[in-house]
Amino acid sequence: QTFVNGTASLAGRYFCRPNLVGGKVTDGDFYACINNLVHNGVLPSDPDGIYTVMFRGDVTYSGWNEMENPYGFCGFHTTLNLNDVQLKVAVVGNPLSTEASINLGCLSPQAPNDEPGADSIMTIYAHEVAEIITDFAGNAWFRNSDFYENGDICNWIFGDFDPNKDLGNIELGPRNNRKRFLVQEIFLPG
């Protein structure tokens, strides 16, 4: 096993459409949200940052329905070019939305914190962050036979994990309030 250490910091949390209930969003919606936040100086234009878009369980994204996207996904990463700065974007669906959970199986097999949606979001987010780090534009590292990136190759594989006794495989948070999460493995070529 190889462990990567480092830090990340939260620049802020913003709600672009907080009153949207039971609606459907598109690529244009989240691109416009990030664009407006950066353009208005709410968020910095940071080529090293990761801009994350997440949705409540009652909001769906047009690509989560297998009828619209036969490949299906629980999250994805992309880039957004703003004023010649390429921003890295992770889009993570809420696994409790009907489309994500029923059609795609986006719920983790275990909810260590008794929050199935939030616990599942952790593994989807870790998957997308790993892929942003190794292949943010979708044109760098992938397996030639199927175009899978390092997160896809190990999708929903949790390693030495016993669901009967383990609550999770990593701990996150401050020392006095650590929580366990179940996060998938990430493929390391070599």
Side-chain angles (χ1 to χ4, degrees):
Q1 289 183 340
T2 302
F3 296 94
V4 177
N5 292 314
T7 60
S9 60
L10 178 65
R13 182 176 70 174
Y14 304 94
F15 298 94
C16 292
R17 296 176 71 185
N19 298 321
L20 179 66
V21 176
K24 187 173 242 181
V25 296
T26 65
D27 290 348
D29 293 326
F30 70 77
Y31 284 137
C33 172
I34 294 169
N35 184 33
N36 289 336
L37 289 170
V38 172
H39 179 73
N40 293 323
V42 177
L43 288 175
S45 179
D46 183 358
D48 296 323
I50 297 175
Y51 297 79
T52 304
V53 178
M54 294 184 178
F55 305 108
R56 294 189 320 233
D58 61 348
V59 176
T60 59
Y61 171 73
S62 62
W64 285 326
N65 186 320
E66 287 188 43
M67 298 303 289
E68 296 173 20
N69 177 5
Y71 302 104
F73 47 81
C74 302
F76 65 94
H77 65 94
T78 187
T79 58
L80 173 61
N81 193 334
L82 290 179
N83 301 322
D84 294 325
V85 177
Q86 196 168 35
L87 304 180
K88 300 160 190 76
V89 178
V91 178
V92 179
N94 187 316
L96 294 179
S97 75
T98 303
E99 291 180 57
S101 62
I102 292 175
N103 293 344
L104 304 174
C106 294
L107 282 172
S108 291
Q110 187 89 352
N113 300 293
D114 294 323
E115 296 285 343
D119 285 323
S120 298
I121 284 171
M122 283 299 298
T123 197
I124 298 166
Y125 184 62
H127 172 127
E128 296 308 327
V129 168
E131 290 181 346
I132 285 173
I133 291 168
T134 58
D135 186 25
F136 71 87
N139 61 2
W141 191 94
F142 54 85
R143 187 168 62 189
N144 287 333
S145 62
D146 53 16
F147 299 104
Y148 276 14
E149 295 171 295
N150 59 348
D152 302 325
I153 292 170
C154 297
N155 206 21
W156 300 107
I157 297 172
F158 299 96
D160 294 331
F161 169 75
D162 182 349
N164 296 316
K165 65 177 183 175
D166 294 329
L167 290 177
N169 56 10
I170 68 165
E171 284 186 348
L172 297 171
R175 291 181 195 266
N176 62 346
N177 190 24
R178 296 186 73 74
K179 292 187 177 196
R180 293 196 57 82
F181 292 94
L182 183 61
V183 176
Q184 77 166 63
E185 294 182 336
I186 301 298
F187 177 76
L188 294 172

